Every structure is written in structure tokens, then in C-alpha cells.
């Protein structure tokens, strides 16, 4: 990156540190999206971990919420689903309740037993045998996308590589018409965008676009529910007893879950891996000298990026956590992005080290019954894209500042200018 850009970011971080240490803890709102857009979240979470690891925010333009910022406290919440609910009717899984009219039920936002019944209908997609089959296709597509990139010219890595590869994968998972695949990217962006993010102009526009998504998938469902079972996510749900009779909102909710799950997260980790290696050239050298390190670099970059910064739960009863009393009905936000930088769980957590001894010690996929069902697929995609990148390019340079997403939920990038040779 250009020196001036690095300096600007260092200056922003210095200012954020001063602000985070001057602000009284009672005024902390760690979920403010600006911290994430500016990548200045770190000092806020560092101070919370040290001084108020279970913190109640009552001073924000959103409803009050608890922040859980240390690794083991987060595991505690994530593994006690009988106390901490994911249920969408109580508010669901992100810090803000879904706006009314968009709270389609999906199994990520359900409790037992419905959650497990619906989750198992799609899990055959992610078995090791099926992933071996998908690997061939993923490699072939990665090759095509990388071969088409301009040499020695600046381009947006997000658009040309990360979005393209993850969207192609999604089209395959749904057996979605391939030439219309960018609709999936758009629906994922629209479904997760905050009002001020610029993705949609108005709530009315969001409503229109999401109802197009619903109509499109209803058509695919109707085709497949009456046809012989096939190996795609829609058909898997259409032919399983637990989901065949789902009501329409539940169907659309699960589809949107699978679009978002398979899209933003892997996309942003792919982009993040380029940035992480750029910022850590000695790690890049290590990788070039020994490409087998891709295997441990992939989980490390998933920790380093933490593409979903948090998951939220709602307390089903009064309970105690870290010496604090959490009352029934209160919202509890598990900041994975902070737990992943907790030095009581991860050694030198702020460093990006591609050959860590235990790179899978991270919370990026969650923990407990909702742990990411697509995690092995995500890792496979990242592994293959790096194997193919190293075969083709000697230099991968980030040549401008990344533009980050305005959200404290999806931690990612809109743009990363890159030059390859
Ligand atoms: C759940 C992260 C890739 C589909 C989750 C959860 C996290 C997560 C944090 C929620 C865990 C919880 O509530 O405790 C990630 C990351 C990924 C990734 C970091 C990539 C680096 C994928 C992919 C797919 C996918 C590729 C599918 C194609 C899902 C689904 C759930 C889920 C369906 C809901 C599971 C449940 O409720 O049982 N993921 N994910 N994810 N993810 Fe992923």
C-alpha cells in the first residue's frame, strides 16, 4: 500500500485509541458501525476485555445490549443455548432486531428442536465426500477467474475475484441459473445492508428487491418439490420430511440464510487474506518458500478477518456471566472479533502468523449447536484459491486503501485495489 495511506490509517488508530481510553466505560457503544468501517474497533475491545469483559451498553441509538468480549465467556454463552436463545421471535442473531417484515424464520435463528431438524436437511451438502467432488469444480473455476485478471494493472480484488468465485459457488450449491448468479450477490448485500450503508436508497427499494428474491426462489422450489431429488440445497430441503412442509416465510428465510452464509463470509475472508499477506510481507515470503503452509494459513486468516464480527443471543432467564446479572429478555452480543484477539486464548493474538501451532483456536465459525455448517467448504475454497494464486503470480500488491463495509455484523470489504504480476 502507498506509504501515505498506511500513515493515515495509523493516525486514525491513534486517535481511536485516545478516544477509547478517554471515554467512560458507561458510554461505550462498541457496536457502532463506524468503528468497523474505519477499522478502529481494536482499542475499544482491548479496553473492554481488560476492564469490563461483560459490559452493558445503554447509551446507543439502538436497544441496550450486553457485550461479551473474552474468548471463554463467549464459548460459555455459545454452548448454553438453553439459556441464550437465537430465536428470531425474540430478536434473532444480530445486534439489531431484523426490521419488521424481514424477520423470516431460518434455522440459524431457531432454538431446539426445530433448529436441529432443519439444519440436518442441508448438511449432506458439506460431507467430506461431496466436498471432494466440489473441489474439482472449485479449482477449475479459480483457474479461469485468475487467468482472466489483468497483468500489472490496478483492479478491485473484491469484484473480480472474491465476489466472482463465491457467487459461482453459490450458484452451484443452489443449482441456480448460472448466468443470473449476480442476483445472488445482490440479494445477499441487500438483505444485510444497514439503512445508511448506501446499498439501497430506501426501505421500499429493499422490500421490492427482497420480494423479487422470494418470488424467484419460490419458482425454483415449486419446480424441484415436484421433481426427482437432486443434489442441490433447494432440492435437499424440498425432499426432506423436516422441511418439505415448511411455510413460505421459513423457506425464504432458510434460502436467504444460505445465500448470506455462503457469500459474504467467504468473500470477505478471501479479500482479507490478500490484505493480511500484504501487511505481513515476511509471512508472504514464508508462504512462497513453503506453499504447504496454506493449510494453516487458511484458519489463521479466518481468525484474523473474523468475517462475522458478532452473533447475538437473548437471555431466556436471569443468569450470571462474568460476575454480572443478565436479566431475562436482555440481548447478549458475543463479539467473536474480540474473542479472537484475547491473549488468554491465543498467543500474540494481534499478529498474523501463518504457521501457528494451533490455528484452529478461533471463534469465527461460532461454537455449539449453531457452529457454521459450511465451514469446511469455506476452508476448501480459500485453500484452492491460494494454491492457484501462488502458481500464477509472483507479486500480489495492494495499491490503495481498502474500503470497508459499514456494519458491525459483516466485517468485510467493498473494494481492495490490487495489482498482480
Ligand atoms: C452459521 C461463520 C461460511 C452457512 C455460521 C455462524 C458463523 C458462521 C459465525 C453462526 C454460529 C452461531 O450462531 O453460533 C462463517 C464464516 C464463514 C462461513 C466465518 C467463512 C469463512 C459459510 C458457508 C456456508 C455457511 C460457505 C454455506 C454455504 C452457514 C449456515 C449457518 C452458519 C447455514 C447456520 C448454522 C446453524 O444455525 O446451525 N457461520 N460461515 N457458512 N453458516 Fe457459516
Amino acid at each position: 500500500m502507498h506509504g501515505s495511506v498506511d500513515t493515515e490509517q495509523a493516525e486514525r488508530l491513534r486517535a481511536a485509541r485516545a478516544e477509547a481510553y478517554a471515554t467512560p466505560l458507561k458510554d461505550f457503544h462498541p457496536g457502532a458501525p463506524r468503528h468497523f468501517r474505519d477499522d478502529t474497533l481494536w482499542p475499544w475491545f482491548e479496553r473492554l476485555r481488560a476492564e469490563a469483559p461483560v459490559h452493558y451498553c445503554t447509551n446507543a441509538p439502538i436497544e441496550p445490549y450486553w457485550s461479551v468480549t473474552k474468548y471463554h465467556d463467549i464459548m460459555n454463552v455459545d454452548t448454553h443455548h438453553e439459556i441464550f436463545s437465537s430465536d428470531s421471535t425474540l430478536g434473532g442473531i444480530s445486534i439489531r432486531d431484523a426490521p419488521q417484515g424481514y424477520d423470516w424464520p431460518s434455522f440459524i435463528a431457531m432454538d431446539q428442536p426445530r433448529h436441529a431438524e432443519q439444519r440436518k436437511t442441508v448438511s449432506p451438502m458439506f460431507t467430506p465426500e461431496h466436498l471432494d467432488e466440489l473441489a474439482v469444480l472449485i479449482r477449475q473455476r479459480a483457474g479461469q477467474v485468475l487467468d482472466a485478471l489483468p497483468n500489472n494493472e490496478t483492479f478491485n480484488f473484491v469484484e473480480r475475484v472474491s465476489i466472482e468465485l463465491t457467487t459461482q459457488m453459490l450458484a452451484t450449491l443452489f443449482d441456480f441459473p448460472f448466468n443470473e448468479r449476480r442476483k445472488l450477490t445482490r440479494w445477499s448485500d441487500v438483505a444485510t445492508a444497514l439503512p445508511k450503508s448506501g446499498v439501497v436508497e430506501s426501505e421500499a427499494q429493499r422490500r421490492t428487491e427482497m420480494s423479487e428474491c422470494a418470488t424467484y426462489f419460490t419458482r425454483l422450489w415449486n419446480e424441484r418439490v415436484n421433481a426427482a431429488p437432486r443434489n442441490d440445497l433447494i432440492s435437499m430441503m424440498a425432499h426432506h420430511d423436516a422441511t418439505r412442509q415448511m411455510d413460505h416465510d421459513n423457506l425464504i428465510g432458510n434460502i436467504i440464510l444460505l445465500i448470506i452464509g455462503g457469500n459474504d463470509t467467504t468473500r470477505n475472508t478471501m479479500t482479507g487474506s490478500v490484505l493480511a499477506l500484504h501487511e505481513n510481507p515476511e509471512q508472504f515470503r514464508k508462504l512462497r518458500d513453503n506453499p504447504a503452509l496454506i493449510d494453516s494459513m487458511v484458519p489463521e486468516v479466518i481468525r484474523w478477518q473474523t468475517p462475522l464480527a458478532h452473533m447475538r443471543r437473548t437471555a431466556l432467564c436471569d443468569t450470571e456471566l462474568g460476575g454480572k446479572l443478565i436479566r431475562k429478555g436482555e440481548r447478549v452480543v458475543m463479539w467473536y472479533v474480540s474473542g479472537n484477539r484475547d491473549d488468554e486464548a491465543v498467543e500474540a493474538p494481534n499478529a498474523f502468523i501463518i504457521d501457528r501451532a494451533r490455528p484452529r483456536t478461533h471463534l469465527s465459525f461460532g461454537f455449539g449447536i449453531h457452529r457454521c455448517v459450511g465451514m469446511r467448504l469455506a476452508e476448501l475454497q480459500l485453500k484452492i484459491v491460494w494454491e492457484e494464486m501462488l502458481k500464477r503470480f509472483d507479486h500480489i500488491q495492494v495499491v490503495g486503501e481498502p474500503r470497508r463495509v459499514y456494519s458491525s455484523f459483516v466485517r468485510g470489504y467493498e473494494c481492495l485495489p490490487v495489482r498482480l504480476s
Side-chain angles (χ1 to χ4, degrees), residues 35-331:
H35 301 317
F36 293 77
R37 181 201 52 206
D38 299 342
D39 201 35
T40 50
L41 60 156
W42 310 109
W44 300 90
F45 285 109
E46 179 189 274
R47 188 156 170 227
L48 284 177
R49 284 194 303 274
E51 297 176 36
V54 179
H55 170 269
Y56 199 47
C57 169
T58 52
N59 188 23
I62 54 175
E63 295 288 311
Y65 63 94
W66 290 96
S67 282
V68 185
T69 49
K70 287 196 60 85
Y71 191 98
H72 293 292
D73 288 337
I74 293 171
M75 294 244 299
N76 194 350
V77 173
D78 238 346
T79 49
H80 285 89
H81 54 269
E82 71 291 356
I83 300 177
F84 298 102
S85 166
S86 298
D87 195 326
S88 58
T89 61
L90 302 177
I93 50 144
S94 84
I95 191 168
R96 294 159 184 265
D97 294 353
Q100 272 209 329
Y102 303 108
D103 42 0
W104 292 295
S106 68
F107 63 85
I108 200 172
M110 280 177 197
D111 292 338
Q112 303 300 62
R114 259 177 101 207
H115 158 261
E117 287 164 14
Q118 297 202 3
R119 174 180 165 119
K120 71 169 185 258
T121 67
V122 294
S123 51
M125 180 59 87
F126 309 101
T127 57
E129 298 71 34
H130 194 232
L131 291 184
D132 282 348
E133 276 174 42
L134 288 177
V136 179
L137 191 64
I138 295 171
R139 191 174 301 283
Q140 182 199 337
R141 285 176 176 169
Q144 280 166 358
V145 166
L146 296 176
D147 284 340
L149 293 175
N151 197 19
N152 256 323
E153 245 177 61
T154 302
F155 67 93
N156 179 4
F157 192 87
V158 175
E159 185 63 34
R160 293 288 299 263
V161 182
S162 310
I163 293 186
E164 190 49 39
L165 285 176
T166 45
T167 306
Q168 290 190 6
M169 189 71 250
L170 262 188
T172 299
L173 295 181
F174 284 113
D175 198 5
F176 190 89
F178 200 67
N179 54 0
E180 297 208 68
R181 63 189 181 279
R182 283 293 173 123
K183 286 184 190 293
L184 296 167
T185 323
R186 177 69 191 162
W187 290 329
S188 172
D189 289 348
V190 171
T192 52
L194 287 181
K196 278 190 286 178
S197 60
V199 175
V200 281
E201 299 288 319
S202 64
E203 276 308 304
Q205 186 192 346
R206 192 209 295 263
R207 198 170 289 274
T208 309
E209 293 200 38
M210 292 320 293
S211 77
E212 278 164 22
C213 166
T215 309
Y216 201 113
F217 275 103
T218 305
R219 179 168 59 75
L220 295 184
W221 174 274
N222 289 339
E223 284 165 15
R224 290 179 202 181
V225 81
N226 296 315
R230 300 194 332 219
N231 220 358
D232 64 78
L233 290 168
I234 304 173
S235 187
M236 283 175 181
M237 288 192 284
H239 289 277
H240 200 293
D241 287 345
T243 35
R244 192 179 173 90
Q245 304 294 344
M246 279 185 289
D247 64 40
H248 183 257
D249 281 3
N250 191 176
L251 158 66
I252 300 304
N254 280 345
I255 301 266
I256 291 173
L257 161 64
L258 290 158
I259 297 178
I260 298 172
N263 192 28
D264 282 4
T265 49
T266 316
R267 174 210 300 186
N268 288 321
T269 312
M270 222 173 257
T271 310
S273 62
V274 173
L275 186 61
L277 286 170
H278 171 83
E279 288 178 358
N280 297 275
E282 74 298 344
Q283 301 297 314
F284 208 165
R285 266 192 299 279
K286 237 193 293 186
L287 182 67
R288 283 193 187 297
D289 292 346
N290 182 7
L293 289 178
I294 289 176
D295 286 343
S296 52
M297 179 189 83
V298 165
E300 172 67 349
V301 85
I302 292 171
R303 179 190 72 87
W304 184 89
Q305 178 61 32
T306 320
L308 291 178
H310 75 260
M311 283 283 155
R312 169 259 178 108
R313 303 289 187 253
T314 307
L316 289 173
C317 55
D318 290 1
T319 188
E320 195 245 280
L321 184 72
K324 304 281 176 168
L325 175 65
I326 296 177
R327 294 202 179 274
K328 179 178 175 178
E330 288 178 342
R331 41 187 88 190

